[in-house]
């Protein structure tokens, strides 16, 4: 069974940076992309970013483009989300997940498996 463990969240001031990490273990997940979604209080789930495993293509939601970077260490089965220029509206619990990517432009994401999230709080 696939397990995903996210870490690296914390409290940061607006304009600051954090790097989230996610270790993926167990099972097989070659058919999936890997990515991050977030969930803020009273808000729904929002896909943030994902990366295909086949060719490393990356995708970002518009609100984080230019500020967040997804990367991976395939040998360590670890994916990262480098977050810079953080804003209070980025405050949420962040989850890493196995993702199915659809659509002609790759921006239809279905999150299939995820683990415990990590809380990111950005103060103004």
């Amino acid at each position: 069974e696939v397990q995903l463990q996210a870490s690296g969240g914390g409290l940061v001031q607006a304009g600051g940076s954090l790097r989230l990490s996610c270790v993926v273990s167990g099972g097989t997940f070659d058919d999936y992309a890997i990515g991050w979604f977030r969930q803020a209080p009273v808000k729904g789930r929002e896909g943030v970013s994902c990366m295909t495993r086949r060719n490393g293509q990356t995708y970002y939601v518009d609100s984080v483009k230019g500020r967040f970077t997804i990367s991976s260490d395939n040998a360590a089965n670890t994916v990262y989300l480098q977050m810079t220029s953080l804003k209070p509206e980025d405050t949420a619990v962040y989850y890493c997940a196995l993702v199915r990517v659809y659509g002609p432009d790759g921006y239809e994401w279905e999150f299939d498996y995820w683990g415990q999230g990590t809380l990111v709080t950005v103060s103004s």
Side-chain angles (χ1 to χ4, degrees):
E1 183 177 339
V2 174
Q3 294 185 327
L4 302 101
Q5 181 62 54
S7 61
L11 173 63
V12 63
Q13 287 189 329
S17 300
L18 281 174
R19 188 175 83 154
L20 306 184
S21 300
C22 175
V23 178
V24 186
S25 61
T28 58
F29 41 90
D30 291 342
D31 294 335
Y32 288 94
I34 187 133
W36 296 86
F37 67 88
R38 63 189 179 186
Q39 186 134 18
V42 304
K43 290 185 180 179
R45 180 187 303 174
E46 179 185 35
V48 175
S49 178
C50 69
M51 170 187 281
T52 61
R53 292 171 57 86
R54 184 174 62 251
N55 59 9
Q57 179 70 45
T58 58
Y59 303 90
Y60 300 93
V61 68
D62 284 346
S63 59
V64 308
K65 281 181 181 175
R67 300 189 298 121
F68 290 11
T69 304
I70 189 170
S71 63
S72 68
D73 179 346
N74 291 334
N77 282 339
T78 302
V79 63
Y80 304 99
L81 187 68
Q82 179 68 49
M83 307 186 294
T84 63
S85 301
L86 282 161
K87 304 175 181 179
E89 51 263 44
D90 294 318
T91 295
V93 178
Y94 285 71
Y95 300 83
C96 66
L98 300 184
V99 187
R100 294 193 187 272
V101 177
Y102 301 102
D105 60 0
Y107 276 92
E108 295 177 33
W109 305 339
E110 181 179 309
F111 298 96
D112 276 4
Y113 298 94
W114 59 91
Q116 268 193 309
T118 185
L119 175 63
V120 172
T121 304
V122 184
S123 63
S124 56

